[in-house]
Amino acid sequence: MYNSFFRNLFQFGISRIFMSVDFLLALLITVLIERVTINLSAISIDLEPVLNVLVGLFSFVFAALAIMMAFFETGLGKLLTKMGKQKNILFHYWYSCVVYLTSILYVGFCLVIKTENKFLILGAIFLTLYAIFVTYSLVKTTISLGIYKDMHDLQENK
């Protein structure tokens, strides 16, 4: 099934996710925070601003998706489809949306239960960092598509 997230995830490569700089950097920072707070059993962080930032960045992901979809209406989109690259590019946006929704739900859950449990808060920190780092790679993908579209348009117009 083409629209199955997990099928696309396995085709994309789960190891690519866990070995990505985004994931490893978020994990490293979370482990460092855990090591710094090793003697604490509770961490008090106001997660409401974090949730607001995540929701705002999630809307950015949708705007980037709209920009990318506009690129696929051009000759570049047809070329990417013919090369078989469109599916992986779309999955990148799909995966980013899943990361954001997971982060938003998790941070929202932590807010609702008003937790100060160190490991629940560390989970929120990890997911928030990971979502932000995924956004960096999504920005790179969106800008790269714009550059490739311009290059393709220049070649077509010659």
Side-chain angles (χ1 to χ4, degrees):
M1 188 185 298
Y2 188 72
N3 65 350
S4 167
F5 176 78
F6 291 105
R7 181 180 209 163
N8 281 292
L9 178 63
F10 286 114
Q11 288 175 351
F12 184 76
I14 293 177
S15 62
R16 285 175 65 181
I17 302 287
F18 291 121
M19 298 308 292
S20 70
V21 173
D22 308 333
F23 186 87
L24 293 174
L25 191 55
L27 186 62
L28 175 70
I29 293 170
T30 305
V31 168
L32 287 173
I33 292 170
E34 192 278 328
R35 294 286 91 197
V36 168
T37 62
I38 196 160
N39 294 326
L40 301 176
S41 61
I43 301 175
S44 180
I45 294 179
D46 183 10
L47 291 175
E48 199 165 319
V50 173
L51 184 63
N52 291 335
V53 168
L54 285 171
V55 169
L57 287 174
F58 180 65
S59 64
F60 168 79
V61 169
F62 261 99
L65 176 62
I67 291 168
M68 188 271 311
M69 292 306 289
F71 290 150
F72 281 137
E73 297 296 321
T74 65
L76 174 67
K78 293 176 182 116
L79 179 65
L80 289 171
T81 302
K82 190 182 342 178
M83 293 171 55
K85 301 287 184 188
Q86 183 182 19
K87 187 176 177 183
N88 280 345
I89 293 169
L90 282 171
F91 181 74
H92 190 111
Y93 288 87
W94 193 359
Y95 180 76
S96 299
C97 287
V98 169
V99 168
Y100 268 99
L101 287 175
T102 303
S103 301
I104 289 167
L105 289 172
Y106 186 85
V107 170
F109 170 75
C110 288
L111 271 170
V112 167
I113 65 170
K114 297 180 182 5
T115 187
E116 290 185 0
N117 178 288
K118 177 181 177 178
F119 293 103
L120 289 177
I121 296 297
L122 286 172
I125 290 170
F126 169 76
L127 286 171
T128 301
L129 289 171
Y130 185 47
I132 290 169
F133 293 146
V134 163
T135 305
Y136 282 120
S137 63
L138 197 64
V139 167
K140 178 190 166 284
T141 300
T142 306
I143 290 172
S144 296
L145 278 171
I147 292 169
Y148 293 140
K149 180 191 174 300
D150 286 345
M151 290 170 44
H152 183 266
D153 290 350
L154 283 173
Q155 284 184 336
E156 267 190 352
N157 292 332
K158 282 187 177 183

